Amino acid sequence: MPRLRFAPSPTGFLHIGSARTYVFNWLYARRHRGAMILRIDDTDVDRNTQASLESIFEGLRWLELEWDELYHQSQRLHLHRQLAQALLERGVAYRDFTPPSAQPEEKAHGAGPWLFNPGMRELSREESDRRAAAGEPFVLRFRVPRDPPRILRFRDLVYGEQEKSTADIEDFALLRSDGTPTYHLASCTDDIDMKITHIVRGQDHLTNTFKHILIFEAAGAPLPEFAHLPLLVAPDGSKLSKRRHGAVVSVTTYRDAGFLPHAFVNFLCLLGWSPKDNREVMTRQELIEAFSFEGINRSNAVVNFREDDPFDPKAVWLNAQHLRTMPVRELAPYVRRTLEQAGVPIPYDEERFLTVIDVIRTRYSMLTDFVTRGRAYFSEDYPITPEAQQKLDEPGARQLLHELADRLEASPEFTEASVERDLRQLAAERGVKAGLIINAARAILTGQTVGPSAFTVFVTLGRERVLERLRRA
RNA sequence: GGCGCUAUCGUCUAAGGGUUAGGACGGAGCCCUCUCAAGGCUCAAAUACGGGUUCGAAUCCCGUUAGCGCUACCA
């Protein structure tokens, strides 16, 4: 059974790129009936924050992609140290007593890459033990094979055959001088211990993978499959960052803007992945069934936002598609929650509520549209736009609306057909175009000049509210 | 600097030796129409550049350029 993991470090809010990584992991896990593991990689105590941790859970819960197991790396430090100790004992790791941050600028223009600190690889075990026992601080480094170097290879599920010489890999740190594990050590230790079968992560880890292979080998553990994902970038090709690009990179921004979690997931999937059959609007189940690493492409994907419009037009379009086509019964709870949060009343029983949603959702693209553009369908307290005001101010319009109210009240029925008949008859008798009354009616009934068919609006609102509003005109 | 990855319409992508290089979003237009959407139809829009291999290259190879990643006691 496949075991996948998503391992965010709680050093910032949940990033849209991280969310996509989670989605791909989840999709593969579900597709192959595997386990989805959420592991909080909180080994960098200086940068971890509680707010960030909460943002991750909040964001992931909103996506509605549940995980099966949860771990905190900080509670597993003993395992990391255990492996570090074993590697030291076996001689594949060594202590480096060089003080930190000696020459930061020398590296910048240096001719070759830094590989290790001189003298430290050759320290005898006795001297190393003695200095450590004396309390001298050290970092534990991996002794990367050098004489002769080795060619490391693996087959990435997305990027294909990869190889790199150990001559180009520095003796990376395993343990910091305060004894805490670095990312490489902690991550590999846990991946081994949790029996992770597929490591699916950002392409920024592609070259790190060689270090990880070294650790896996040294630990005597079988290699998992690796699949690296192209990165999400800003329109100028730079990587997405909160500082430069603001709220667009945070998943809570999409939630607050009225995206359906499901549509957002759909959008994320389309960034760097394709089912290759031209399908785009897909349900969760369709995504699960269609997902495979072969469909992932290898170049970075641009999230197409702008200063004045923070959302990728395709994301908005996808949201509209889902909003309009998903079973109305599934949509209703989201609409209800959105209205409740905005303090808008819902004067309907469940069935009527569904009908109203079904009528108005055909022109909406965001959940928030229900509280803004759809306000008049729920509340008596709705604004009249200037355009709508104009329709009402047409000569004779108000008088006609009042007359219409009387006729509708007297009419034996109140259906789309009957309302249309009554209205058109009134227009004919008064010698005006039906459009005049229709547009004025929509204006007073909804506060807007745009929306569903006016006759549908009449019936949707119900006779009582219609009469009251027409007479108020 | 070293090592690695990538390059198809503005954006997301399909085509992986033979297609008028396909679809979608966005844009323009037409139809429909009580408005606005939706829907239908149409248009504009791409293989980074230079070499090679081949009867034939977006596709394979080399180079250039550009972007990105790694090169930390961050992850």
Side-chain angles (χ1 to χ4, degrees), chain A residues 3 5-8 37-45 48 69-85 174-175 179-196 216:
Chain A
R3 290 174 60 81
R5 50 67 155 185
F6 173 64
I37 293 158
L38 174 57
R39 189 179 76 210
I40 306 296
D41 277 7
D42 51 356
T43 53
D44 185 6
V45 287
N48 293 341
E69 299 172 29
L70 171 67
Y71 302 94
H72 293 263
Q73 217 166 39
S74 56
Q75 291 164 7
R76 307 168 52 84
L77 295 175
H78 56 287
L79 285 171
H80 311 146
R81 258 181 227 128
Q82 216 170 68
L83 180 58
Q85 187 58 36
L174 262 14
L175 245 31
T180 60
T182 61
Y183 161 74
H184 300 301
L185 204 226
S187 177
C188 291
T189 304
D190 286 339
D191 287 337
I192 292 168
D193 184 64
M194 293 172 186
K195 300 187 162 45
I196 301 300
F216 273 87

Side-chain angles (χ1 to χ4, degrees), chain A residues 24-268:
Chain A
F24 286 149
N25 271 284
W26 186 90
L27 249 20
Y28 188 87
R30 290 297 170 260
R31 172 90 174 76
H32 298 280
R33 308 197 174 285
M36 181 67 216
I37 293 158
L38 174 57
R39 189 179 76 210
I40 306 296
D41 277 7
D42 51 356
T43 53
D44 185 6
V45 287
D46 293 339
R47 292 169 64 218
N48 293 341
T49 69
Q50 187 62 27
S52 163
L53 192 62
E54 279 157 19
S55 154
I56 289 168
F57 282 116
E58 194 186 342
L60 291 181
R61 266 196 293 265
W62 176 66
L63 293 179
E64 297 176 9
L65 304 175
E66 66 296 342
W67 54 87
D68 305 306
E69 299 172 29
L70 171 67
Y71 302 94
H72 293 263
Q73 217 166 39
S74 56
Q75 291 164 7
R76 307 168 52 84
L77 295 175
H78 56 287
L79 285 171
H80 311 146
R81 258 181 227 128
Q82 216 170 68
L83 180 58
Q85 187 58 36
L87 296 183
L88 175 63
E89 233 110 82
R90 255 173 268 162
V92 286
Y94 66 92
R95 296 190 186 94
D96 179 349
F97 296 95
T98 311
S101 68
Q103 54 290 80
E105 78 289 338
E106 183 236 8
K107 207 191 296 179
H109 341 261
W114 173 89
L115 291 175
F116 51 83
N117 288 321
M120 292 298 157
R121 290 187 126 226
E122 299 77 21
L123 239 42
S124 72
R125 188 57 200 274
E126 292 69 35
E127 184 182 356
S128 177
D129 286 348
R130 186 176 48 71
R131 287 170 72 170
E136 190 175 344
F138 63 87
V139 292
L140 189 74
R141 291 189 184 282
F142 195 96
R143 189 189 303 277
V144 176
R146 305 226 172 266
D147 296 311
R150 261 220 292 155
I151 303 295
L152 266 17
R153 294 175 217 278
F154 72 99
R155 182 186 186 77
D156 189 88
L157 264 17
V158 171
Y159 286 90
E161 296 294 343
Q162 302 292 317
E163 62 170 63
K164 186 167 184 145
S165 167
T166 55
D168 294 317
I169 301 174
E170 78 285 1
D171 286 358
F172 53 94
L174 262 14
L175 245 31
R176 304 189 185 96
S177 52
D178 64 1
T180 60
T182 61
Y183 161 74
H184 300 301
L185 204 226
S187 177
C188 291
T189 304
D190 286 339
D191 287 337
I192 292 168
D193 184 64
M194 293 172 186
K195 300 187 162 45
I196 301 300
T197 59
H198 296 69
I199 296 182
V200 182
R201 70 228 307 190
Q203 192 240 44
D204 47 344
H205 285 299
L206 189 60
T207 47
N208 283 334
T209 303
F210 295 101
K211 296 173 189 167
H212 299 172
I213 287 173
L214 253 12
I215 298 178
F216 273 87
E217 281 183 356
L223 235 46
E225 298 283 354
F226 290 96
H228 288 87
L229 270 15
L231 268 18
L232 257 30
V233 297
D236 67 356
S238 65
K239 83 176 200 189
L240 293 170
S241 81
K242 171 115 182 179
R243 217 173 56 86
R244 291 187 53 196
H245 307 109
V248 259
V249 302
S250 170
V251 334
T252 51
T253 303
Y254 291 80
R255 177 198 63 192
D256 297 343
F259 277 88
L260 256 2
H262 181 153
F264 181 66
V265 166
N266 192 168
F267 170 65
L268 255 20

Side-chain angles (χ1 to χ4, degrees), chain A residues 236-384:
Chain A
D236 67 356
S238 65
K239 83 176 200 189
L240 293 170
S241 81
K242 171 115 182 179
R243 217 173 56 86
R244 291 187 53 196
H245 307 109
V248 259
V249 302
S250 170
V251 334
T252 51
T253 303
Y254 291 80
R255 177 198 63 192
D256 297 343
F259 277 88
L260 256 2
H262 181 153
F264 181 66
V265 166
N266 192 168
F267 170 65
L268 255 20
C269 287
L270 261 21
L271 255 20
W273 172 81
S274 154
K276 295 191 187 289
D277 57 8
N278 284 344
R279 276 187 300 165
E280 295 201 309
V281 182
M282 298 172 79
T283 64
R284 193 150 298 191
Q285 195 53 38
E286 288 170 330
L287 287 172
I288 291 172
E289 284 161 13
F291 184 77
S292 80
F293 293 122
E294 285 82 72
I296 294 179
N297 108 346
R298 286 170 288 278
S299 51
N300 292 348
V302 171
V303 180
N304 197 16
F305 60 84
R306 300 183 319 214
E307 290 281 337
D308 55 322
D309 182 5
F311 299 114
D312 190 315
K314 193 128 188 187
V316 174
W317 176 78
L318 276 168
N319 202 58
Q321 293 299 311
H322 283 284
L323 193 79
R324 293 168 192 180
T325 60
M326 69 193 283
V328 68
R329 219 166 269 286
E330 286 172 27
L331 174 62
Y334 295 103
V335 177
R336 186 178 291 282
R337 208 171 312 143
T338 307
L339 290 168
E340 280 170 359
Q341 277 169 8
V344 176
I346 301 176
Y348 304 110
D349 61 26
E350 185 65 14
E351 285 311 305
R352 285 281 298 153
F353 184 48
L354 295 182
T355 306
V356 172
I357 291 175
D358 207 26
V359 165
I360 61 180
R361 69 167 169 166
T362 56
R363 2 228 122 190
Y364 295 169
S365 55
M366 293 288 149
L367 283 171
T368 43
D369 287 333
F370 286 92
V371 331
T372 54
R373 301 206 270 154
R375 196 174 196 90
Y377 293 88
F378 302 100
S379 169
E380 289 308 314
D381 178 26
Y382 57 93
I384 309 270

